[in-house]
Amino acid sequence: MSLVITGASLLGEKTGDLYVDDSGMFVDEAPSGAETLDADGLVALPGLVDLHTHLREPGREDAETVLTGSQAAALGGYTAILAMANTSPVTDTAEAATRVWELGREAGLVHVQPVGAVTRGLGGEELAELGLMHRSRAGVTVFSDDGKCVHDARVMRRALEYVKAFGGVVSQHSQDPALAGPAACCHEGELSGRLGLPGWPGIAEEVIVARDVMLGRHTGSRVHVAHVSTAGSVEVLRWAKAQSIDVTAEVTPHHLLLTTDLLTGYDPTYKVNPPLRPQEDVDALREALRDGTIDAVATDHAPHARHDKEHAFVDAAFGMVGLETSLGVVRTALPDLSWSDVARVMSVTPARIAGLTGQGQSLAPGSPANVVLVDPDASVTVDRDTSASLSRNNPWHGRGLTSRVVHTVYVGRVTVRDGALA
Ligand code: DOR
């Protein structure tokens, strides 16, 4: 199928038409019989790429499936998502990775790229089948025990050495379990003391970030820091990048806009790991995203069924959904970020980190026909009950966000039209 996307402002700059079909983008030449998609007044970006999505299939299909997560992703403007390994069973074998990849293809709305576990069963001790997962049809290149930290330095070193052989990357959930403590459920500070909630100190994250950049330097392998949440971690990353250490980092939309002060009502919607931090950390994260110290925005979309989330704060599951709102949150948190910078942090760089050469690169001729068309001026009030996700743990419910995803095109096909699944 061919498509002419007319009148969009390309990366927020000059206005032009885009000609696409399932083989990619063209310039200046409408394929005969092409359908027209009116994008007058909209901004065109390459399809978004999410480095950090939790789909709950297999195992917790009551919270999310590959299909519903793909639908939520398409509605959020994504054309590729990386599916984290903490499913049940864990994605720690070539078979498990291939199954997730196949489910993604069957859903057909975005490219679903499985993340492989670093250690067997996320147990932190024995390396998973890293090479076999890489060589499988799924072609896994990103490995993570996300939800848990690869806390044993020796295991982390071996994993980095192993993935280096095929250009893989380890995405670390940086959190020293000894410093964090088993009961921690929010940021450790004056407020956690007042609320009587056990807290995580920022240092529990920062010591692992510091250790891992040194392991990255030692092994010459690639380290990626998932969901950076503190100013101290930013400082370490800035130092590491100045030393040309091969480290990349992501920040979530919620850590760019929400602060720990929201916990005063003990609402478990705001319970997330790593926790929401004070405003000074949020400010440091925004600055780091602007100046490139943090490379990418990744959602950490973490759907949870009501019966896991609607509990007293200390007992509720960690996590919040985020695929459908991420672009609006980024626009709201950083209105000064140019559209080409938005494309850089939400599409181009995440695609590069994940080694997704066929995804999210640019709007230039020859690129894959993955495009998102955004109304830059729209103001949207989020309603969790209209979400495609199966879960309702949505911290943005009732909030106003800037900009709206109007159309999404994946491999030349319209997946979202006028803000609804096509
Ligand atoms: O809040 C979180 N939820 N953080 C994680 O690292 C894991 C995730 C989940 O799987 O629910």
Side-chain angles (χ1 to χ4, degrees):
M1 196 185 81
S2 316
L3 200 60
V4 187
I5 302 169
T6 59
S9 155
L10 310 179
L11 295 173
E13 289 161 15
K14 73 175 175 36
T15 300
D17 295 345
L18 290 168
Y19 304 107
V20 308
D21 73 7
D22 55 7
S23 69
M25 311 257 197
F26 301 87
V27 256
D28 297 339
E29 191 195 326
S32 62
E35 182 201 335
T36 299
L37 191 64
D38 178 13
D40 205 22
L42 306 183
V43 170
L45 307 175
L48 306 183
V49 176
D50 189 23
L51 285 170
H52 197 141
T53 302
H54 295 274
L55 301 174
R56 301 298 189 196
E57 187 174 1
R60 287 305 306 267
E61 291 83 351
D62 54 332
E64 199 78 289
T65 65
V66 173
L67 176 62
T68 59
S70 297
Q71 290 170 337
L75 287 165
Y78 288 92
T79 54
I81 56 177
L82 278 94
M84 277 296 169
N86 64 340
T87 45
S88 179
V90 170
T91 310
D92 58 2
T93 63
E95 291 73 21
T98 303
R99 183 66 192 135
V100 172
W101 180 80
E102 282 169 354
L103 287 167
R105 291 187 38 121
E106 280 163 27
L109 293 167
V110 292
H111 177 82
V112 176
Q113 180 62 33
V115 172
V118 176
T119 65
R120 232 178 256 278
L122 308 180
E125 288 175 5
E126 239 185 295
L127 287 186
E129 291 181 356
L130 309 182
L132 290 176
M133 285 192 270
H134 177 68
R135 288 195 295 278
S136 73
R137 287 173 76 204
V140 177
T141 55
V142 181
F143 297 87
S144 183
D145 276 2
D146 182 69
K148 293 186 171 173
C149 180
V150 181
H151 59 90
D152 184 321
R154 186 171 166 276
V155 174
M156 185 65 176
R157 177 188 176 190
R158 293 287 174 244
L160 287 169
E161 285 169 344
Y162 202 108
V163 303
K164 186 184 174 190
F166 50 81
V169 59
V170 177
S171 170
Q172 173 72 294
H173 183 133
S174 305
Q175 191 171 83
D176 182 81
L179 272 173
C185 62
C186 67
H187 171 72
E188 180 187 286
E190 187 265 330
L191 182 66
S192 65
R194 217 156 17 96
L195 296 174
L197 295 172
W200 270 283
I203 189 71
E205 174 174 308
E206 293 149 10
V207 292
I208 297 293
V209 178
R211 182 200 79 178
D212 286 352
V213 297
M214 294 311 285
L215 287 172
R217 177 160 88 172
H218 174 75
T219 57
S221 189
R222 283 206 295 145
V223 177
H224 177 74
V225 185
H227 41 48
V228 174
S229 75
T230 77
S233 297
V234 167
E235 255 182 272
V236 176
L237 289 166
R238 201 166 273 136
W239 174 85
K241 290 194 167 195
Q243 314 304 306
S244 305
I245 295 172
D246 203 355
V247 59
T248 53
E250 68 187 39
V251 61
T252 71
H254 45 273
H255 288 107
L256 289 170
L257 198 56
L258 305 180
T259 66
T260 189
D261 296 335
L262 287 164
L263 269 49
T264 48
Y266 294 93
D267 181 347
T269 310
Y270 301 113
K271 182 175 175 182
V272 65
N273 177 2
L276 300 178
R277 303 285 188 184
Q279 188 64 47
E280 48 275 27
D281 290 309
V282 172
D283 292 340
L285 296 169
R286 289 181 186 172
E287 197 45 45
L289 189 65
R290 281 193 196 96
D291 72 18
T293 304
I294 292 178
D295 303 81
V297 172
T299 65
D300 198 1
H301 175 82
H304 288 293
R306 282 212 155 93
H307 50 273
D308 292 319
K309 193 65 172 167
E310 291 178 9
H311 288 287
F313 194 88
V314 288
D315 298 323
F318 290 102
M320 28 182 83
V321 295
L323 280 170
E324 289 169 68
T325 45
S326 53
L327 188 65
V329 176
V330 169
R331 289 307 291 163
T332 307
L334 294 118
D336 53 318
L337 212 59
S338 69
W339 284 106
S340 66
D341 280 338
V342 172
R344 171 174 60 80
V345 298
M346 297 188 77
S347 175
V348 181
T349 307
R352 178 176 54 74
I353 291 169
L356 293 176
T357 45
Q359 309 287 334
Q361 288 146 328
S362 77
L363 297 174
S367 299
N370 296 335
V371 187
V372 54
L373 295 143
V374 185
D375 180 346
D377 303 317
S379 164
V380 176
T381 303
V382 178
D383 177 359
R384 67 182 163 215
D385 296 317
T386 61
S387 168
S389 170
L390 288 181
S391 292
R392 294 289 173 263
N393 51 317
N394 190 328
W396 310 106
H397 179 66
R399 283 174 188 262
L401 298 178
T402 312
S403 82
R404 183 174 84 96
V405 172
V406 180
H407 311 297
T408 310
V409 176
Y410 171 58
V411 202
R413 194 163 52 84
V414 180
T415 53
V416 171
R417 190 186 297 274
D418 295 325
L421 290 168

